[in-house]
């Protein structure tokens, strides 16, 4: 007798995929602190840990507390800022503890930079203007450096390969200049003029060899 599959009990893989795909719960603040706003505390904690890219409850609590402090606006934590920061961390998808910490710093720096931009736009005197401008400049330079650090970590620090000998066949094109790319072959020449001279010289030598071979064939 055929029996219908039990669709009420999902497999572990399906449950994990659903958990990772689900949006993280929001954080609810109270006079005693904050908590994860979810009807199932265990599932809520798991969803939040997945969003922050951490492996255990202690790591989740630590990153979450740091984000709460970074979200402060007007002297108290801001639920809107915090929800935005958690959403940005989740969208970047940190894959280990190093990435989780770095991404948390990235979203915090972004929030601080936009806060400085707000202060700059509403500066009432030159001193406030200069202070906000300096802070915004430092944060704006820090953010792309953090992106580069994340990219280096994700590429496992793979070194670049430099090829200095360039051979150009007839009808070929040479690329002269510095090309930066991780884990790939890089063609570079410290002296662009020498590379430009090498291409025609190589082609001329090839034509002379062909002419000499033709002459020998005619004599034979």
């Amino acid at each position: 007798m055929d029996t219908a599959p039990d669709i009420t009990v999902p497999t572990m893989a399906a449950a994990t995929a659903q958990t990772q795909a689900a949006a993280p719960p929001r954080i609810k603040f109270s006079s005693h602190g904050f908590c994860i706003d979810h009807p199932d505390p265990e599932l809520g904690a798991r969803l939040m840990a997945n969003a922050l890219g951490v492996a255990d409850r202690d790591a989740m609590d630590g990153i979450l507390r740091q984000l709460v402090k970074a979200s402060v606006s007007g002297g108290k934590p801001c639920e809107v800022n915090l929800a935005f920061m958690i959403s940005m961390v989740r969208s970047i998808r940190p894959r280990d503890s190093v990435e989780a910490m770095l991404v948390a710093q990235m979203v915090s720096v972004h929030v601080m930079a936009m806060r400085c931009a707000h202060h700059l736009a509403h500066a009432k005197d030159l001193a406030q203007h200069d202070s906000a401008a300096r802070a915004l400049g430092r944060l704006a330079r820090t953010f792309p450096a953090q992106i580069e650090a994340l990219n280096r970590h994700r590429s496992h620090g793979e070194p670049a390969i430099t090829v200095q000998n360039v051979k150009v066949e007839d009808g070929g094109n040479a690329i002269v200049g510095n090309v930066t790319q991780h884990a790939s072959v890089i063609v570079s020449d410290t002296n662009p003029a020498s590379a430009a001279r090498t291409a025609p010289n190589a082609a001329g030598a090839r034509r002379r060899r062909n002419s000499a071979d033709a002459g020998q064939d005619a004599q034979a």
Side-chain angles (χ1 to χ4, degrees), residues 5-151:
D6 185 3
I7 61 174
T8 61
V9 181
T11 63
M12 182 64 68
T16 302
Q18 292 174 356
T19 298
Q20 293 177 346
R26 297 182 70 90
I27 300 300
K28 181 172 64 176
F29 292 98
S30 67
S31 58
H32 303 289
F34 65 90
C35 64
I36 298 174
D37 189 11
H38 196 277
D40 184 345
E42 186 64 27
L43 177 58
R46 187 160 64 249
L47 290 172
M48 184 61 68
N50 289 334
L52 298 179
V54 294
D56 55 60
R57 183 62 179 264
D58 290 338
M60 181 205 70
D61 288 339
I63 295 291
L64 192 55
R65 288 180 184 279
Q66 292 168 352
L67 291 177
V68 168
K69 294 178 180 179
S71 73
V72 171
S73 178
K76 61 181 180 179
C78 176
E79 291 188 14
V80 175
N81 280 346
L82 183 60
F84 166 76
M85 296 168 78
I86 293 173
S87 178
M88 290 298 99
V89 171
R90 176 174 176 265
S91 67
I92 299 174
R93 297 179 181 178
R95 299 178 297 189
D96 55 37
S97 58
V98 173
E99 290 191 11
M101 292 185 290
L102 181 56
V103 173
Q105 293 177 26
M106 290 171 62
V107 298
S108 300
V109 165
H110 171 75
V111 169
M112 298 301 175
M114 300 310 296
R115 191 172 298 168
C116 289
H118 172 77
H119 293 329
L120 180 60
H122 295 81
K124 297 180 180 180
D125 53 44
L126 183 60
Q128 291 182 359
H129 180 279
D130 291 346
S131 177
R134 286 194 299 271
L136 178 59
R138 289 194 295 268
L139 293 168
R141 289 189 296 271
T142 299
F143 190 75
Q146 292 173 321
I147 295 176
E148 179 62 22
L150 179 61
N151 289 336

Side-chain angles (χ1 to χ4, degrees), residues 172-194:
N173 295 324
I175 299 176
V176 180
N178 294 326
V179 181
T180 302
Q181 185 174 356
H182 289 289
S184 63
V185 176
I186 298 175
V187 178
S188 66
D189 193 328
T190 56
N191 189 350
S194 64

